[in-house]
């Protein structure tokens, strides 16, 4: 791939959106075609550089994805579930890669991505970092090696602005642990403990969510048995790792057939 890939960023004014913008603008392999914000936002119709406090860039802020997507080869989307679903239809029409870092999507919402994936490549992951995706693989292997005498707990911590819990990454790790044990996460998930809950059910996979301050992202997978514990850990200290991973996914998927992919595919970590 020698030509620069045209990218659209959704949710431009958010912290992740601005990190994605800076990452794409610094890339030699990609360039910004336009950015998106919700209707009524005061950035709409203005130059991106000026609204971000710098000089004009010639990149416009849109509230309608149709125009910029017609000129783009990919859209990177860390927004909200329903906004992601609406954008998936536009990406499908444009035959553009849709990189989805949106978390908090229900199984029903994820299923609604399928029609769009018949027409464009979708790369969706609860976390775009290399380290986390290696942690997912390790979690699956350790879970497969240990029986249900080892209780599994996924412990995650994020900043106080995060609106969903457990995090998308925590759910990825829970799914990996369940897959390693040969069970469905929906059958063994335990993420609502409060009051007199009774003893823990053998084989359940538990989730603990911590929210506070400006924590970027911390994830532990604890395997606890009488007399010993194994803890797998990933600490993120800069959102730049997610932006770099998302851009890598957008570039990787340029020559891929329509369908749904994950960061495991992007990083060559699939079994």
């Amino acid at each position: 791939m020698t030509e620069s890939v045209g990218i659209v960023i959704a949710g431009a004014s958010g912290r992740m959106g601005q990190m994605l913008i800076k990452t794409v603008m610094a890339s030699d392999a990609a360039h910004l075609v336009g950015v998106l914000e919700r209707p009524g936002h005061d950035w709409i119709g203005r130059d991106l550089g000026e609204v971000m406090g710098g000089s004009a860039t010639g990149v416009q802020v849109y509230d309608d994805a149709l125009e910029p997507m017609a000129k783009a080869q990919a859209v990177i989307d860390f927004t909200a579930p329903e906004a992601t679903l609406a954008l998936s239809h536009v990406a499908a029409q444009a035959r553009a890669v849709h990189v989805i870092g949106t978390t908090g999507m229900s199984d029903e919402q994820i299923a609604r991505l399928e029609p769009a994936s018949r027409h464009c490549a979708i790369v969706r992951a609860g976390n775009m970092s290399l380290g986390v995706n290696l942690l997912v693989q390790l979690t699956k292997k350790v879970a497969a090696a240990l029986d249900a005498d080892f209780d599994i707990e996924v412990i995650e911590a994020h900043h106080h602005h995060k609106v969903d819990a457990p995090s998308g990454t925590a759910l990825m790790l829970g799914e990996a642990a369940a897959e390693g044990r040969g069970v469905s996460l929906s059958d063994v998930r335990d993420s609502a403990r409060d009051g007199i809950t009774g003893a823990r059910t053998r084989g359940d996979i538990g989730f603990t969510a911590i929210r506070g301050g400006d924590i970027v992202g911390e994830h532990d997978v604890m395997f606890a048995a009488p007399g010993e514990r194994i803890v797998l850990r990933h600490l993120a200290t800069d959102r730049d790792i997610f932006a770099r991973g998302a851009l890598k996914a957008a570039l990787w998927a340029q020559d891929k057939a329509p369908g749904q992919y994950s960061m495991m595919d992007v990083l060559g970590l699939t079994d």
Side-chain angles (χ1 to χ4, degrees):
M1 181 177 59
T2 58
E3 293 185 5
S4 176
V5 174
I7 306 282
V8 171
I9 303 295
S13 69
R15 285 169 299 172
M16 195 63 221
Q18 293 190 45
M19 180 63 72
L20 287 162
I21 288 165
K22 292 174 183 175
T23 299
V24 173
M25 292 183 75
S27 172
D28 293 330
H31 64 279
L32 274 180
V33 171
V35 300
L36 303 173
E37 258 305 337
R38 64 186 182 279
H41 195 282
D42 60 7
W43 284 19
I44 301 302
R46 301 172 63 188
D47 184 274
L48 175 64
E50 293 174 350
V51 297
M52 290 183 66
S55 57
T57 61
V59 176
Q60 185 176 329
V61 183
Y62 297 86
D63 61 0
D64 186 338
L66 286 173
E67 183 177 346
M69 286 299 296
K71 300 178 285 186
Q73 287 77 56
V75 56
I76 303 178
D77 171 16
F78 284 66
T79 56
E82 289 301 322
T84 291
L85 288 169
L87 190 52
S88 72
H89 298 304
V90 183
Q93 292 176 43
R95 304 299 193 265
V97 172
H98 190 179
V99 177
I100 301 173
T102 301
T103 59
M105 298 185 76
S106 67
D107 290 343
E108 184 272 335
Q109 288 169 324
I110 292 170
R112 286 163 58 193
L113 292 170
E114 199 277 331
S117 71
R118 299 174 197 157
H119 305 285
C120 70
I122 295 176
V123 182
R124 185 182 64 83
N127 193 299
M128 298 282 176
S129 86
L130 171 60
V132 160
N133 284 279
L134 288 170
L135 178 61
V136 168
Q137 289 291 81
L138 289 171
T139 296
K140 183 166 70 172
K141 291 182 182 298
V142 173
L146 302 175
D147 64 21
D149 286 340
F150 281 81
D151 298 317
I152 302 176
E153 189 79 9
V154 181
I155 306 156
E156 54 101 342
H158 285 86
H159 53 86
H160 59 215
H161 297 290
K162 188 167 180 60
V163 299
D164 59 308
S167 70
T169 303
L171 292 172
M172 283 174 61
L173 293 166
E175 290 282 4
E179 185 178 347
R181 283 197 167 166
V183 297
S184 169
L185 181 60
S186 62
D187 293 334
V188 297
R189 176 173 167 176
D190 179 7
S191 55
R193 303 190 192 110
D194 186 30
I196 308 295
T197 61
R200 181 182 182 126
T201 301
R202 188 176 190 271
D204 274 3
I205 296 174
F207 292 85
T208 300
I210 299 166
R211 297 290 176 266
D214 61 354
I215 302 169
V216 174
E218 300 178 1
H219 294 87
D220 289 354
V221 184
M222 180 175 67
F223 299 82
E228 62 181 329
R229 282 177 292 167
I230 300 167
V231 180
L232 307 177
R233 166 171 287 188
H234 180 270
L235 304 179
T237 58
D238 192 330
R239 286 182 182 81
D240 185 50
I241 63 171
F242 311 128
R244 292 199 307 267
L247 177 57
K248 182 181 181 71
L251 298 176
W252 173 87
Q254 287 304 303
D255 59 353
K256 300 301 181 290
Q260 297 195 50
Y261 302 91
S262 71
M263 281 302 288
M264 296 295 186
D265 297 306
V266 175
L267 299 172
L269 295 175
T270 49
D271 294 334

